[in-house]
């Protein structure tokens, strides 16, 4: 085992982090009559049951988060195994095309959801904490719904699906 301890090489660390699989989510809301969403792979469920909390790490450089954090509710859609292309579309730099040909749905408070996702949460911001080049956001779950599709997983810097064993 070759341990990297002094002067961490950020690219080597990024590669190391990529060995841990994670789900991929879209966090979205309709705010001021416009749709806004960001894609995150640093999402965790089961942070707390009482109160019900999930967490996400948001890059400090995000231009979408300052808009989303002002929404009364946020919709979280866990991307399903067939939504790799949609994930790339929504995470793309061209914000004007993020929602082209996407049939979105909304809560009464304008939380935004993607069609055919694996899992849905409706949340409100519970707390934010500085975390280096990211902000850790705790989100209080107000409601949730499971979809009928398996989730996509981000592992070793690419998307994959979970293998089912019997």
């Amino acid at each position: 085992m070759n341990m990297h301890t002094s002067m961490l090489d950020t690219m080597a660390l990024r590669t190391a982090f990529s060995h841990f699989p994670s789900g991929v989510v879209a966090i979205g809301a309709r705010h001021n009559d416009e749709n806004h969403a960001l894609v995150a792979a640093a999402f965790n469920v089961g942070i707390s049951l009482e109160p019900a909390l999930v967490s996400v790490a948001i890059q400090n450089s995000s231009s979408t988060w300052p808009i989303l954090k002002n929404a009364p509710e946020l919709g979280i859609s866990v991307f399903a195994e067939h939504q790799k292309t949609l994930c790339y579309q929504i995470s793309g730099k061209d914000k004007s095309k993020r929602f082209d040909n996407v049939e979105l749905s909304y809560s009464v408070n304008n939380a935004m959801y993607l069609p055919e996702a694996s899992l849905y949460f409706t949340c409100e911001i519970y707390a934010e904490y500085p975390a280096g080049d990211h902000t850790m956001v705790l989100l209080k779950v107000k409601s949730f719904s499971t979809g009928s599709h398996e989730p996509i997983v981000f592992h070793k810097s690419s998307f994959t699906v979970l293998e089912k064993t019997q």
Side-chain angles (χ1 to χ4, degrees):
M1 175 171 45
N2 185 10
M3 296 296 287
H4 299 270
T5 57
S6 63
M7 296 290 288
L8 290 178
D9 175 346
T10 55
M11 288 309 295
L13 186 58
R14 177 183 284 241
T15 300
F17 284 169
S18 78
H19 284 257
F20 187 78
S22 64
V24 185
V25 300
I27 301 171
R30 185 160 182 78
H31 188 66
N32 293 333
D33 294 323
E34 291 185 19
N35 293 317
H36 301 278
L38 59 81
V39 172
F43 176 76
N44 294 291
V45 298
I47 301 301
S48 170
L49 294 174
E50 293 292 330
L53 299 175
V54 296
S55 72
V56 65
I58 306 289
Q59 288 181 341
N60 293 336
S61 61
S62 172
S63 60
T64 305
W65 181 244
I67 299 166
L68 287 175
K69 73 182 199 173
N70 290 310
E73 284 184 348
L74 298 171
I76 298 176
S77 303
V78 176
F79 283 99
E81 59 191 348
H82 65 282
Q83 294 181 313
K84 180 178 172 181
T85 301
L86 179 59
C87 184
Y88 283 123
Q89 178 179 330
I90 292 177
S91 64
K93 296 293 181 198
D94 188 351
K95 291 182 181 185
S96 69
K97 297 186 185 292
R98 283 187 176 170
F99 307 105
D100 286 358
N101 302 312
V102 180
E103 194 172 316
L104 302 168
S105 58
Y106 307 91
S107 72
V108 294
N109 290 320
N110 289 318
M112 185 182 77
Y113 310 97
L114 302 176
E116 300 181 7
S118 178
L119 176 63
Y120 300 96
F121 293 100
T122 303
C123 299
E124 61 187 20
I125 295 173
Y126 184 79
E128 292 183 79
Y129 302 99
D133 58 0
H134 282 66
T135 298
M136 282 303 302
V137 182
L138 292 177
L139 300 164
K140 184 175 182 181
V141 177
K142 296 173 72 176
S143 66
F144 66 93
S145 173
T146 56
S148 59
H149 300 282
E150 294 296 320
I152 197 169
V153 176
F154 194 65
H155 183 240
K156 293 188 178 178
S157 300
S158 64
F159 294 109
T160 187
V161 295
L162 298 173
E163 182 180 321
K164 294 178 178 130
T165 59
Q166 301 209 7

